[in-house]
Amino acid sequence: MRKTYVIGNWKMNGNKAANKALLDGLKAGVPAAKAGVAIAVCPPFAYLESVIAETAGSVIGVGAQDVSEYDKGAYTGEVSVSMLKDVGVTYAVIGHSERRALFGETDEWVGKKTAAALAGGLVPVVCVGETEAERVGNQTEAVLAKQLDAILAAVPNAAPGAIVIAYEPVWAIGTGKTATPEMAQETHAFIRNYIKKAGDAFAAETAILYGGSVKASNALGLFAMPDIDGGLVGGASLIVEEFVGVYNGAAEAFAKR
């Protein structure tokens, strides 16, 4: 059975004191892992080592919000896979819509980062998704196909379950809008069917997360859908009760599968 993930993307938020308070709350709220469901947080680069220290001995994994496609060299401001591994990072979020829209990351660039992360031993959490204009224009599947093709081309030999895909409808990120469980399931089913070009086992074992204003109140409804394997959580991951609620919703949904 596919693993379920609940991954918190803190974006550019936090400080040492706030991070410690949040992590203390999460460790108390999720003292032990529930079957089949992983939990992780992705703080800004500046706090990775302190967050790794704070989560030591807990069930909370740590990821980076981005990663370079280069391993070392004259790339000012970049952080490599080997550096992240060196400090104890497990996951890397790649191709988030904000990176694509604000910093010009292309599908091919996202593919290169995915390949680097996978080759270096990180779990790539690769984001795909359409804008509101693209959805209204019935371009969702065409946009996703192009994004997915770049990912699959970059990691043609990826083992089943080695990468995680996060579907994030751009129109639902930070807006309070959320796709209904049925809408999200329809798109997740398309993604799973599309990635069968990499093999049936690859498609069956790849976790596909939903990322678009996930919170405690809608988590169970979303994660109960057969092709939604947890969430990439933004704002709610900064609130202990919300993030724990999302995790519990994922655990309840997984237990019913």
Side-chain angles (χ1 to χ4, degrees):
M1 188 179 294
R2 288 187 304 274
K3 196 170 186 177
T4 293
Y5 296 84
V6 174
I7 299 174
N9 177 14
W10 291 2
K11 304 189 180 185
M12 198 170 71
N13 293 291
N15 56 52
K16 284 186 177 180
N19 296 348
K20 185 179 188 309
L22 175 56
L23 293 169
D24 284 346
L26 293 181
K27 288 185 288 186
V30 188
K34 297 188 178 181
V37 187
I39 182 171
V41 295
C42 300
F45 283 123
Y47 299 117
L48 279 171
E49 283 199 89
S50 61
V51 168
I52 288 167
E54 289 285 350
T55 56
S58 76
V59 299
I60 302 168
V62 180
Q65 296 178 17
D66 191 18
V67 67
S68 177
E69 71 269 37
Y70 303 109
D71 186 57
K72 62 181 177 179
Y75 303 105
T76 301
E78 292 289 275
V79 178
S80 71
V81 174
S82 59
M83 292 172 181
L84 294 176
K85 287 286 291 182
D86 192 35
V87 298
V89 169
T90 300
Y91 305 92
V93 176
I94 298 171
H96 191 279
S97 63
E98 291 159 1
R99 299 296 313 172
R100 293 175 186 261
L102 300 176
F103 302 101
E105 292 195 7
T106 63
D107 295 336
E108 291 71 25
W109 195 356
V110 169
K112 289 178 180 179
K113 290 185 174 190
T114 303
L118 189 61
L122 294 177
V123 177
V125 181
V126 196
C127 302
V128 298
E130 83 284 8
T131 65
E132 187 167 17
E134 288 164 344
R135 173 166 279 272
V136 171
N138 295 316
Q139 293 298 304
T140 296
E141 292 186 358
V143 169
L144 292 176
K146 184 171 178 290
Q147 293 171 340
L148 292 167
D149 280 340
I151 296 164
L152 297 179
V155 290
N157 299 313
I163 72 170
V164 175
I165 294 173
Y167 167 61
E168 41 163 29
V170 180
W171 47 270
I173 298 172
T175 64
K177 298 178 181 178
T178 307
T180 65
E182 293 74 21
M183 288 169 60
Q185 165 58 25
E186 182 180 5
T187 307
H188 278 238
F190 167 79
I191 292 171
R192 193 169 311 283
N193 186 63
Y194 194 84
I195 62 176
K196 283 183 179 178
K197 59 171 59 182
D200 288 348
F202 180 88
E205 295 183 38
T206 296
I208 306 175
L209 315 187
Y210 176 77
S213 296
V214 179
K215 46 189 179 290
S217 61
N218 62 23
L220 179 57
L222 286 164
F223 302 159
M225 295 292 105
D227 288 300
I228 301 180
D229 306 308
L232 180 60
V233 186
S237 70
L238 299 171
I239 304 168
V240 171
E241 295 77 12
E242 284 290 325
F243 198 47
V244 170
V246 172
Y247 181 80
N248 289 337
E252 184 175 346
F254 184 87
K256 293 178 179 178
R257 290 193 170 181

